[in-house]
Amino acid sequence: MPHFSASVPGKIILFGEHAVVYGYPAIAIPVNKVQAKVVITPNIYAAEHTVIIIAPDVGIHNDLDKLPIRNPLCDVIQRVKTELKVDSIPSCTIKISSTIPVAAGLGSGAAVSVAIIRSLSGFLGRPLQDEIVSNIAYEVEKIHHGTPSGIDNTVVVYNKPVYFIKNHPIEQLVPWQPFTIVIGDTGIKVPTKDTVREVRQKWEKNQRKLEILFSAIGSITRTARQSIKKGDWEQLGPLLTENHALLQELGVSSKELDHLVDEAIKAGAEGAKLSGGGKGGNIVALTSIEKAEVIASAIEKAGAVRTIITTVK
Ligand code: PMV
């Protein structure tokens, strides 16, 4: 039987998280070792317009009509129907699976949304263009994140490193030569929505202080963009660590994240920082390809539940 499928990578932020929500730049890369996959199979034997959603990772095996309307899976499907001006979907099974850890700063929500949008618009005979796919996923991100910057949906849709400023045209970042990143997961799941809200409350109380921090993060990110373009890894590593110090000041680090960052650097990483919303989730460390395994083992020994070595190109 024909089926329609889409696989979409995870992502990780290298520079500029939180500041990006306030209009400063950020840099993020796709992580292809983890993927969200959606497969849609027509179901000719089911009653008309019966859509079955199977998402074992989140314990869903149900008729679409039975899911709460605010469920992000329902929301994304509804948005595709609205975009394509389609009233109902022919009977089918939508199977969603993902190897992207959730609530860990790896963009799992955005990747699942994009995989649904692509496979469903294909199934309905009108594949949507990347820009529209990204816009729809951004709207769904609001359920996950509250006030998202849009960086997650952008990176996973285009599957390229990006230099991102909210509401600006996307700038693809082409490194001078490939470089290696080790990602290490604290195993602590903290919804991005929570840390974004906490930062917003701090900003409302002390706008001046927070803008100083954001502006310093912004200038690190701009320098990092040049280092990546020039292949200046000696400069790039310390910039990661400086960005981490500013995130500590912002109050979004934790002792577990700080410990993984310290151990990565002790093991020989050029620099390291927390990545994403913070308080839990992942760190990223810059390394040469030769040292990557050693750094990954050091991070695991320091308590990381998972490490991923990825090459940025
Ligand atoms: O936790 P993540 O990787 O989904 O990223 C959150 C990044 C923030 O800047 C904190 C929020 C955002 O929407 O950009």
Side-chain angles (χ1 to χ4, degrees):
M1 193 172 294
H3 64 256
F4 296 81
S5 68
S7 288
V8 179
K11 72 102 218 334
I12 196 107
I13 296 179
L14 295 188
F15 291 94
E17 50 276 270
H18 287 292
V20 68
V21 176
Y22 298 80
Y24 295 89
I27 294 172
I29 57 162
V31 179
N32 276 286
K33 278 195 182 156
V34 286
Q35 298 263 335
K37 185 170 185 196
V38 171
V39 180
I40 304 187
T41 314
N43 196 348
I44 47 173
Y45 301 110
E48 250 191 317
H49 309 310
T50 306
V51 177
I52 305 290
I53 307 282
I54 306 180
D57 302 333
V58 286
I60 294 177
H61 188 144
N62 217 336
D63 199 301
L64 177 61
D65 294 341
K66 307 245 161 62
L67 293 180
I69 195 84
R70 282 295 286 169
N71 180 301
L73 302 178
C74 290
D75 190 66
V76 69
I77 291 170
Q78 190 49 50
R79 286 179 191 279
V80 173
K81 283 168 65 184
T82 307
E83 177 66 35
L84 295 176
K85 299 189 179 58
V86 164
D87 287 335
S88 52
I89 301 172
S91 295
C92 65
T93 300
I94 303 182
K95 183 151 195 250
I96 302 157
S97 56
S98 174
T99 55
I100 309 173
V102 290
L106 282 162
S108 92
V112 167
S113 294
V114 170
I116 293 176
I117 300 163
R118 287 210 173 121
S119 53
L120 184 58
S121 60
F123 176 63
L124 295 171
R126 286 152 63 199
L128 290 166
Q129 284 174 354
D130 285 347
E131 196 183 340
I132 297 174
V133 174
S134 187
N135 289 344
I136 297 177
Y138 175 65
E139 290 306 315
V140 184
E141 281 293 283
K142 291 181 182 167
I143 301 182
H144 293 291
H145 278 198
T147 52
S149 60
I151 193 165
D152 283 23
N153 46 288
T154 304
V155 182
V156 302
V157 164
Y158 295 97
N159 197 357
K160 295 271 191 288
V162 293
Y163 178 80
F164 177 91
I165 304 175
K166 197 173 167 177
N167 301 328
H168 278 60
I170 304 142
E171 182 186 317
Q172 193 192 321
L173 198 52
V174 185
W176 175 252
Q177 21 165 237
F179 62 99
T180 307
I181 292 288
V182 181
I183 300 167
D185 192 349
T186 58
I188 301 165
K189 295 192 187 306
V190 178
T192 300
K193 208 173 184 162
D194 294 359
T195 52
V196 168
R197 193 191 318 108
E198 278 173 37
V199 170
R200 171 75 57 190
Q201 284 160 355
K202 284 186 187 160
W203 182 83
E204 274 159 7
K205 272 201 198 126
N206 195 345
Q207 215 158 311
R208 216 180 101 78
K209 180 181 171 203
L210 278 258
E211 289 293 339
I212 290 171
L213 287 176
F214 292 152
S215 155
I217 292 173
S219 97
I220 288 176
T221 307
R222 279 188 288 276
T223 313
R225 167 175 169 251
Q226 292 313 327
S227 317
I228 292 172
K229 285 185 169 180
K230 286 190 305 206
D232 188 344
W233 314 133
E234 271 176 33
Q235 185 178 49
L236 192 66
L239 289 173
L240 282 171
T241 315
E242 276 174 46
N243 193 163
H244 182 71
L246 291 166
L247 290 165
Q248 282 175 317
E249 243 185 281
L250 194 58
V252 295
S253 193
S254 68
K255 64 177 192 328
E256 292 83 359
L257 286 163
D258 292 346
H259 183 55
L260 296 190
V261 165
D262 290 346
E263 291 302 309
I265 293 170
K266 265 195 228 154
E270 312 297 330
K273 66 181 269 294
L274 73 84
S275 174
K279 296 266 172 99
N282 284 281
I283 67 144
V284 286
L286 177 72
T287 170
S288 63
I289 183 84
E290 296 78 23
K291 280 197 277 183
E293 293 288 352
V294 172
I295 286 157
S297 322
I299 298 175
E300 279 170 23
K301 227 167 120 201
V305 295
R306 185 185 312 101
T307 52
I308 300 172
I309 298 173
T310 189
T311 303
V312 187
K313 32 187 179 193

